[in-house]
Amino acid sequence: MSRGLKLTDILVTIVISIGFGILYKIWGPLYYAVKPLGLHIDQLIYGMWFMAATVAFLIIRKPGVALLAEIAASSGEFLMGSEFGLEVLLYGVVQGLFAEGAIAAFRYKRFDLVVVSLAGISSCVGSLIMDFYKGYIGDLTTWNLTLFIALRIIGSILFTGLFAVSLVKALEATGVTKLVRPSSKEDYEALNQ
């Protein structure tokens, strides 16, 4: 398999990401709807905003895909009138870089739940750095900040790990991903780990 991105890889990644961009735009109001429930329950669903990177990587499996996916998804969300404004683009770049870094640590050779969960946690760390920089969470008390971070990490694992692997596994079963890359027995075994 060629390690570099081909035009087909880029186009498929962007199409996946635009789909996630639409989902991200829909997700914003849901995020604000659960916010009043308190105890940072909204952080459990925050992981959705990291999912484009892991799904695209599980499908394409090449360097640069996670970063491209997050940038394209955040761009799509922005173009549809995100309530977060231009800031969404900066978050997309940072989250994509952090996800790409986690995947690169495994030299792009592992495509399992552990790797994509770590990519999601890395994106989460990137988003937390941005939140601290923007002043969103700097004033929280220690227990409140701990709860905030813990729930965002859990949400990241749920969405970028468990849900992303399940989604790609379902796509693999339909055969739709064979258009991008042929599936092998090892591919299915990697998703079962």
Side-chain angles (χ1 to χ4, degrees), residues 12-24 46-60 64-75 77 92 95-96 99-100 103 116 119-120 123 159-161 163-164 167-168:
V12 169
T13 301
I14 290 173
V15 168
I16 291 167
S17 299
I18 294 301
F20 274 101
I22 294 167
L23 186 58
Y24 291 176
Y46 198 96
M48 172 60 81
W49 279 294
F50 314 140
M51 202 169 152
T54 56
V55 169
F57 174 72
L58 285 171
I59 292 171
I60 306 295
V65 168
L67 175 60
L68 176 61
E70 277 300 317
I71 291 172
S74 64
S75 298
E77 180 183 5
Q95 292 164 188
E100 191 73 38
I103 294 166
V116 292
S123 290
F159 282 99
T160 64
F163 191 59
L167 177 63
V168 172

Side-chain angles (χ1 to χ4, degrees), residues 43-117:
Q43 297 309 304
L44 281 174
I45 66 168
Y46 198 96
M48 172 60 81
W49 279 294
F50 314 140
M51 202 169 152
T54 56
V55 169
F57 174 72
L58 285 171
I59 292 171
I60 306 295
R61 300 183 178 190
K62 290 187 179 178
V65 168
L67 175 60
L68 176 61
E70 277 300 317
I71 291 172
S74 64
S75 298
E77 180 183 5
F78 171 72
L79 290 173
M80 287 184 294
S82 173
E83 58 272 11
F84 304 110
L86 270 174
E87 193 172 271
V88 76
L89 298 173
L90 187 55
Y91 271 81
V93 171
V94 170
Q95 292 164 188
L97 282 171
F98 275 73
E100 191 73 38
I103 294 166
F106 293 92
R107 298 183 177 190
Y108 304 97
K109 293 182 180 180
R110 286 190 49 191
F111 319 104
D112 56 32
L113 178 63
V114 172
V115 173
V116 292
S117 294

Side-chain angles (χ1 to χ4, degrees), residues 6 8-9 12 16 58-61 168-185 187-188:
K6 298 182 294 190
T8 306
D9 300 328
V12 169
I16 291 167
L58 285 171
I59 292 171
I60 306 295
R61 300 183 178 190
V168 172
K169 197 175 190 179
L171 289 172
E172 293 281 351
T174 67
V176 73
T177 58
K178 288 183 182 179
L179 298 170
V180 179
R181 65 173 167 74
S183 297
S184 66
K185 184 178 179 190
D187 292 337
Y188 289 108

Side-chain angles (χ1 to χ4, degrees), residues 38-43 128 132 136-152:
L39 292 175
H40 301 299
I41 298 300
D42 55 322
Q43 297 309 304
L128 289 168
F132 273 110
Y136 295 150
I137 57 177
D139 295 334
L140 295 176
T141 60
T142 304
W143 75 267
N144 207 353
L145 181 61
T146 303
L147 180 63
F148 183 95
I149 292 170
L151 290 178
R152 188 176 290 186

